[in-house]
Amino acid sequence: MLSRLSRTASRRSTSRIANVSRRWFVQPSTADRASVVEIPSSYQDETHLTPRADMLGFKLEIPRREGSLAEKIRPIYLDMQATTPVDPRVLDAMLPYLTDQYGNPHSRTHAYGWEAEQAVEDARKYLADLIGADPKDIVFTSGATESNNMAIKGVARFHKEKKRHIITTQTEHKCVLDSCRKLGEEGFDITYLSVGNNGVISLDELEAAIRPDTSLVSIMTVNNETGVIQPIKEIGALLRKHRGIYFHSDAAQAVGKIPVDVNEMNIDLMSISGHKLYGPKGIGAIYVRRRPRVRLEPILSGGGQERGLRSGTLPAALVVGLGEAARIAKKEMKVSIFHIIRVWDRDHARIQRLSDRLITNINSQVEHVVRNGDVNGYPGCVNLSFSYVEGESLLMALKDIALSSGSACTSASLEPSYVLRALGAAEDMAHSSLRFGIGRFTTEAEVDFVVNHIIRTVQRLRDMSPLWEMVQEGIDINAIDWSQH
């Protein structure tokens, strides 16, 4: 009897929960959906995909708390090498695949899968067009870190029976260096090329490092800390003379910002990141040449998606976002050549002006400032060292500006940047460096504010420094033997 009563009470309780659930998660009507989807009036361009009124949409409001960041003025963002904001046009393209077009792109038996698959293939084409590739050569990944691991470990392990030598540089991204370190533990021989004071490698040193058992050369296109652009086209031409060596480039900081053509540059594998070109986080791609075919061992095993190189269900909304970001970048980046003058895209020209404004105005008011890296590098990445100023104190004093002193992936470390040390920078100068990341949405007013704030802060910190006082008195700091004091 008690058991029967218990089961009856349990069913009633479950029924009440179910009823509550049904009342709470009621399917919204068309009018309800239209009332919660706000369509910005600014998006009238036919190329922009705006949310329709019949899509499922949600208006999110974060509750304000006393003393929260929402009640404060947000800092000016100049950290575009860490991540870029999602372009509103990209978000518009993604929304349908986050709402009513939620099919699995690998489902081949119904319309939901077909429309998601078509969106993925369109995105693949947009990305391929941006880098001069065939769409079939594009493999989607979770980001450039996965792409770099896939290229380096995949090629090395596939050819390990005959070739066990890899060449890279000392200034690569941490994920490239760690992938090479891991292969070193597996018995591979890794050569780390040095760079000059400007951050550029020597082609002669590269050619001298090539061996009969070299399987891969991995050199990034644009450095994430200094903006240095490596001579990728020349490197590709050099490696083409040596049969059987694959050329991989980490182009996360280059694609969508400077012209990149994988065929012109003779690149065999190239890593791409979505959130570095105004797309969403969590999505990236790797270009893997098919003709001649690049052979590599997959890192992930599973359903065999993406030519069997990268198993797993593709996040259609994120892929669409990456594709739209590539389409926009391609539209902005129209290269024209007039004799020897090359005009890149509107983004690049505008970023160049803002970069020149930042550097010129800081140098006009602050002495003993050193620019790290090649002055002919990517202008959206400006790395400056301020002598006689402690780096951590400088960053802490600049709370109104979102900056970094190096790569976001290694910002938790208090060690000086290994990239700047490879360029020959002294430890104190590497510690006092700041990386200014200028992007598509940076304004002149923001640059002017940053310049004035930097000038005031550096002068204030130097006034508190005994070293600066000695320099002002004409004492040569480098000539002092500090061990005697």
Side-chain angles (χ1 to χ4, degrees), residues 113-164:
W114 301 335
E115 63 187 7
E117 181 185 23
Q118 184 60 53
V120 165
E121 294 310 312
D122 289 344
R124 199 186 304 274
K125 182 180 184 304
Y126 291 144
L127 187 56
D129 288 345
L130 180 60
I131 63 173
D134 187 307
K136 294 179 181 179
D137 294 344
I138 301 297
V139 175
F140 290 112
T141 66
S142 63
T145 292
E146 181 186 344
S147 298
N148 287 334
N149 274 265
M150 183 175 167
I152 296 169
K153 295 176 181 176
V155 169
R157 289 169 178 168
F158 188 90
H159 298 275
K160 64 182 178 182
E161 297 302 326
K162 295 182 178 179
K163 295 189 173 186
R164 302 185 68 85

Side-chain angles (χ1 to χ4, degrees), residues 104-223:
N104 185 324
H106 310 296
S107 297
R108 302 292 178 84
T109 58
H110 51 71
Y112 285 83
W114 301 335
E115 63 187 7
E117 181 185 23
Q118 184 60 53
V120 165
E121 294 310 312
D122 289 344
R124 199 186 304 274
K125 182 180 184 304
Y126 291 144
L127 187 56
D129 288 345
L130 180 60
I131 63 173
D134 187 307
K136 294 179 181 179
D137 294 344
I138 301 297
V139 175
F140 290 112
T141 66
S142 63
T145 292
E146 181 186 344
S147 298
N148 287 334
N149 274 265
M150 183 175 167
I152 296 169
K153 295 176 181 176
V155 169
R157 289 169 178 168
F158 188 90
H159 298 275
K160 64 182 178 182
E161 297 302 326
K162 295 182 178 179
K163 295 189 173 186
R164 302 185 68 85
H165 179 231
I166 297 167
I167 300 174
T168 187
T169 77
Q170 297 175 0
T171 57
E172 294 296 307
H173 190 276
K174 196 71 164 58
C175 66
V176 170
L177 296 178
D178 276 2
S179 295
C180 290
R181 179 185 56 79
K182 176 64 176 177
L183 291 175
E185 295 173 356
E186 296 177 11
F188 288 86
D189 191 6
I190 315 295
T191 296
Y192 297 92
L193 300 176
S194 61
V195 296
N197 292 335
N198 62 352
V200 179
I201 70 161
S202 165
L203 294 176
D204 292 336
E205 184 179 347
L206 169 60
E207 188 162 26
I210 295 174
R211 302 185 337 203
D213 64 338
T214 302
S215 62
L216 179 72
V217 173
S218 179
I219 298 175
M220 71 195 318
T221 307
V222 175
N223 189 271

Side-chain angles (χ1 to χ4, degrees), residues 361-471:
N361 291 343
I362 288 179
N363 283 330
S364 67
Q365 298 293 322
V366 182
E367 55 183 330
H368 300 292
V369 178
V370 176
R371 182 174 182 181
N372 299 303
D374 189 4
V375 295
N376 296 316
Y378 175 62
C381 182
V382 178
N383 194 303
L384 301 177
S385 289
F386 299 84
S387 301
Y388 316 114
V389 174
E390 205 280 316
E392 294 300 319
S393 300
L394 182 57
L395 269 179
M396 292 297 294
L398 297 172
K399 293 182 179 179
D400 295 331
I401 310 169
L403 291 167
S404 74
S405 57
S407 170
C409 301
T410 55
S411 60
S413 172
L414 295 178
E415 293 297 316
S417 164
Y418 67 87
V419 173
L420 298 187
R421 294 307 304 274
L423 268 64
E427 185 170 342
D428 60 330
M429 293 298 283
H431 263 302
S432 65
S433 67
L434 291 179
R435 184 184 65 182
F436 300 85
I438 301 170
R440 180 178 295 168
F441 303 110
T442 307
T443 65
E444 285 189 2
E446 289 175 328
V447 169
D448 291 342
F449 175 87
V450 169
V451 167
N452 293 329
H453 203 12
I454 289 286
I455 292 170
R456 292 195 304 269
T457 303
V458 170
Q459 290 175 344
R460 178 169 59 83
L461 291 177
R462 282 179 174 175
D463 288 341
M464 296 186 293
S465 170
L467 292 178
W468 179 246
E469 183 178 349
M470 296 170 68
V471 170

